[in-house]
Amino acid sequence: MLSNDIIQQHNEKLQADHQFRLAYLTELLDRKGIDIQTIIDKIKAFQVAIPSWALGTGGTRFGRFPNGGEPRNLEEKIEDVGLIHQLNRSSNSISLHIPWDIPSDANAIKQLLKANDLTIDSVNSNTFQDQKDQPYSYKFGSLSHTKSEVRDLAIQHNIQCVEYGKMLDSKVLTVWLADGSNFPGQSHMRSAYQRTSDSLSSIYKSMPDDWTMLIEYKPYEPHFYSMVIPDWGTSYSLCQTVGKNAQVLVDLGHHLPNTNIEQIVGRLMHFGRLGGFHFNGSMYGDDDLTTGSIKPYQFFLIFNELVDGMQDPSVKNPPLAWMIDASHNTKDPIEDLLQSVNAILTTYAKALLVDRVALADAQENNDVLRAEELLRDTFMTDARALVAEASRQAGGAIDPIATFRGGKIRSGLVDKRGFSVATGL
Ligand code: RM4
Ligand code: MN
Ligand code: MN
């Protein structure tokens, strides 16, 4: 754990500048009839889960270039997320990937989580790699495989993930299926879908009633001719078949370039089937870059749709699970995660500032320019002081990255852990 003095010392240094920016925003929002503290409270309540696999360098099939000090086991991954949460007060849970993060002593892990003010978010199954001594290979698929013994192995793995999750009080199983085909004719598409649907139903039936199954989609990679679950429509149809607690998960990097993701979000919320988000940034596809780093305006439009749906009482969508899903090769992973959470909160804050009454009026009257300008004006507003203030009020850092750097935290981790490399991709 980080000494709180480090955070306070940094905050003191930044306080005058921070107050200046906040005072300006307070006045600006007041003129628009927006109470700044109401927005700050909403930001404080918004928590983004950190995936255990983002704490090490990765995200490439080619070389990994670790800087050292990466977590060597689940305990150290929890410590890293604890550190992130201490700095930003907005990352109060960790997602696990099985078998990368099998808990050896569930009680000890629970205590460690508590000491770090964290909970377990989702458990993520992995049938995209073969594990050592596995009796059958997933080379030609897992839940969709032609052979029932392979499907059963993958089903049992998912059930096992739920068991691990139960031990740690998680309530969410996330399934991302790498199944697909690389060449025309390789796979019978309708049968592959049906087998997948049946496998998911078996897993779902073994889940406790208060659990949610999140079904992710992805248009390509690791297969390039067809993926069994390539798009939201397929995920949605599977959810409908599987059961009421099955929800679609949108991973920002799992779309072809120029896909209108905000429209997908709107559709799924309308159907009450949007379960959660994997945040990252994307240039070409599943690049897993820092959230908001490539297309910040698109990211804002997505959040605008999310907030609109969350604030509309006629929308019957369950609360969403927010998670970062990023892993790349060039930045310090903790700094990158702090940057991502900050981008998420800043964008959320902006979406909260949209004048929805005026926007609805412009839409109703087909005033295209005014509708667009309302969004553009909010997008251009610098909302960073709101996020800094939310963190400060919650006991975190005004500038988490500066505090991480100033406190020389990474070099402390390198001293402790050596030149370690975390599990992940
Ligand atoms: C996949 C997908 C999953 C993640 C794995 C590591 O592309 O995004 O959510 O668990 O990567
Ligand atoms: Mn994902
Ligand atoms: Mn992905």
Side-chain angles (χ1 to χ4, degrees), residues 272-286:
R273 286 281 185 178
L274 180 61
F277 248 82
H278 280 181
F279 293 116
N280 49 50
S282 156
M283 179 72 187
Y284 299 103
D286 197 25

Side-chain angles (χ1 to χ4, degrees), residues 356-370:
R356 298 206 175 270
V357 176
L359 182 61
D361 183 69
Q363 289 170 344
E364 201 54 37
N365 293 300
N366 297 308
D367 190 340
V368 183
L369 183 130
R370 179 156 158 70

Side-chain angles (χ1 to χ4, degrees), residues 53 97 124 174 176 216-218 249-254 277-280 286 288 323-326:
W53 56 102
H97 228 303
N124 295 249
T174 299
W176 169 64
E216 217 170 327
Y217 57 89
K218 184 171 172 178
L249 187 141
V250 175
D251 181 313
L252 288 179
H254 292 194
F277 248 82
H278 280 181
F279 293 116
N280 49 50
D286 197 25
D288 283 350
M323 192 189 97
I324 293 175
D325 187 8

